[in-house]
Amino acid sequence: MANRRSLDPADLLVGPRGRRMCLELARRADDDVARAVFHVAHDLDPGVGTSRMTLGPGAGHRPTLRVADVADAVARAVIPPLDEVTLIAALDAAVAAATYWQQPDGEDVLAAAAPVRTALRRIADAVAVAPGARWWATPMDATAQVRVEWVDPGPPAGSGTSPGSTPGSPEVADTDAAVDARAALAMWRADAVAQEETAARERPTDPAAMWSALWWSTPPTTTPRTSRDLAGLGPVGLVLVEDTLGWERATVTPAAVAPGARVLEIDGPVAWAHLCRRHPLSVTASRRHDWFRATGLGDVGWVQPDWAAVARDVDAVHVTVAGYLTTAGRAVTVDRGVATVLAGWDPDATYWLTGAPPPTGPGRPWAYDRSAHRWAPVA
């Protein structure tokens, strides 16, 4: 299918991550919006009074604010020009707040409310024309791919990184790398089928049952992953990370993408549904409880891509930022009675199914500077 080259403002409000990003921009730009969001999101959160509470001297004297008050504040807010730093910060916040194992939090519920969605349209309009967001709808940038590998242990369950792993060696033949990659995917598929069979035997069929286990739909953690390096801002893969464990050290290695690399672009829910329809892997028993809580959809069969089969068609799969914002966290219809969820992906991530692109130079250490709230290369 044709790749999107520009952002559609309406699309930015159809998915929970896109709406959350727009709400973050409004909240960061205006103190009245921030105050209203704080109080109303608290009241809308499914964990209010248990996992989410307001503490402090003023906890018992909170103002009475409603969804309409948030919408009014957003409509009145003065939004400054959206530079790339501001956009990335809001996008980072939206990505970090993604959860696929529980109900949407209060901010996500608030952003989905009709009056707030209507008010956020002006924010989406501003994002769509912002120069710093132009690359969000573009395909993988083959000229600026880097591989980010965390130095600290413990990647999240759905990530494409592996602790202690090293960049692919240029001395390894492409054919050997492809064989190893396909063998790893075959092993992953066998494990996924076994997990599904076990879940079908042992877990309740009621989607509302309090059970949580597997929730991601990414390729396995052994799959190499790259993202683009933005001039002036650094590697996207250091910042836009779902389910992060708070890593503060990483090695960044430039990667060479072969001219003939077959890269499948996921630029929205239609592309994701098409991939799942072409190469479905049933995950109903292993995902139904988490994905029901995340999406509210229960009476369906769930699928995700069979990555071992996908690897026969393409070398890599790239999710554009626009594709992420419009698709992640939604129940996407694949067929009658069948749905899927894009879960565990990071915006602009490219997973390499047939072997890692070779490095074009040595890896360089990066570290997170807490005082400046940003990543920087280590001298």
Side-chain angles (χ1 to χ4, degrees):
M1 63 180 294
N3 296 316
R4 294 178 184 172
R5 301 286 177 166
S6 61
L7 290 171
D8 183 336
D11 285 350
L12 293 176
L13 300 176
V14 300
R17 308 285 30 96
R19 292 192 295 265
R20 181 63 170 267
M21 184 268 300
C22 291
L23 184 65
E24 282 292 330
L25 285 170
R27 183 184 68 79
R28 291 161 184 259
D30 189 278
D31 289 342
D32 288 341
V33 174
R35 174 174 172 271
V37 167
F38 175 83
H39 291 292
V40 179
H42 172 274
D43 294 338
L44 293 176
D45 195 277
V48 63
T50 54
S51 61
R52 183 165 180 166
M53 295 180 285
T54 300
L55 304 176
H61 304 282
R62 295 174 55 246
T64 301
L65 295 171
R66 297 177 174 82
V67 169
D69 297 311
V70 176
D72 289 343
V74 172
R76 295 192 307 267
V78 177
I79 307 299
L82 301 177
D83 58 39
E84 194 164 36
V85 173
T86 300
L87 288 165
I88 289 292
L91 182 56
D92 176 31
V95 171
T99 56
Y100 307 95
W101 54 90
Q102 65 186 39
Q103 293 173 273
D105 65 17
E107 285 79 3
D108 278 359
V109 174
L110 176 60
V116 176
R117 287 180 65 174
T118 299
L120 288 174
R121 177 56 191 257
R122 61 191 291 258
I123 311 297
D125 289 340
V127 173
V129 298
R134 286 174 182 163
W135 65 272
W136 290 10
T138 62
M140 183 196 76
D141 184 353
T143 67
Q145 290 297 292
V146 296
R147 191 170 176 188
V148 171
E149 293 166 296
W150 307 110
V151 174
D152 303 308
S159 79
T161 57
S162 176
S165 61
T166 56
S169 168
E171 287 77 31
V172 177
D174 290 344
T175 53
D176 291 340
V179 169
D180 291 344
R182 289 193 171 93
L185 287 175
M187 184 179 298
W188 163 83
R189 189 189 190 283
D191 288 344
V193 170
Q195 289 169 343
E196 179 68 8
E197 292 173 347
T198 299
R201 291 194 306 269
E202 299 180 354
R203 298 176 193 173
T205 57
D206 178 6
M210 293 306 296
W211 191 287
S212 182
L214 309 176
W215 50 263
W216 51 92
S217 56
T218 60
T221 57
T222 55
T223 309
R225 186 177 61 172
T226 62
S227 57
R228 76 185 68 200
D229 189 8
L230 290 174
L233 289 180
V236 171
L238 288 173
V239 182
L240 305 180
V241 184
E242 281 199 352
D243 196 31
T244 178
L245 295 185
W247 298 292
E248 295 187 349
R249 295 182 298 154
T251 299
V252 176
T253 307
V257 176
R262 302 166 300 167
V263 180
L264 176 64
E265 295 290 341
I266 303 299
D267 60 3
V270 173
W272 182 247
H274 177 75
L275 178 61
C276 292
R277 192 178 304 116
R278 181 175 175 82
H279 297 295
L281 180 67
S282 176
V283 291
T284 303
S286 56
R287 302 294 196 278
R288 65 155 59 96
H289 303 101
D290 287 306
W291 287 0
F292 166 69
R293 281 190 293 273
T295 69
L297 188 62
D299 191 19
V300 296
W302 294 104
V303 297
Q304 72 155 71
D306 179 346
W307 298 115
V310 176
R312 294 195 291 267
D313 291 349
V314 300
D315 297 309
V317 178
H318 171 244
V319 171
T320 67
V321 175
Y324 174 87
L325 292 174
T326 57
T327 312
R330 296 174 62 189
V332 176
T333 299
V334 176
D335 209 336
R336 184 184 297 272
V338 180
T340 183
V341 178
L342 181 77
W345 284 81
D346 299 335
D348 193 51
T350 299
Y351 282 90
W352 294 89
L353 306 177
T354 59
T360 59
R364 186 177 186 183
W366 283 64
Y368 185 72
D369 184 340
R370 290 191 179 186
S371 61
H373 302 291
R374 65 181 180 87
W375 285 86
V378 177

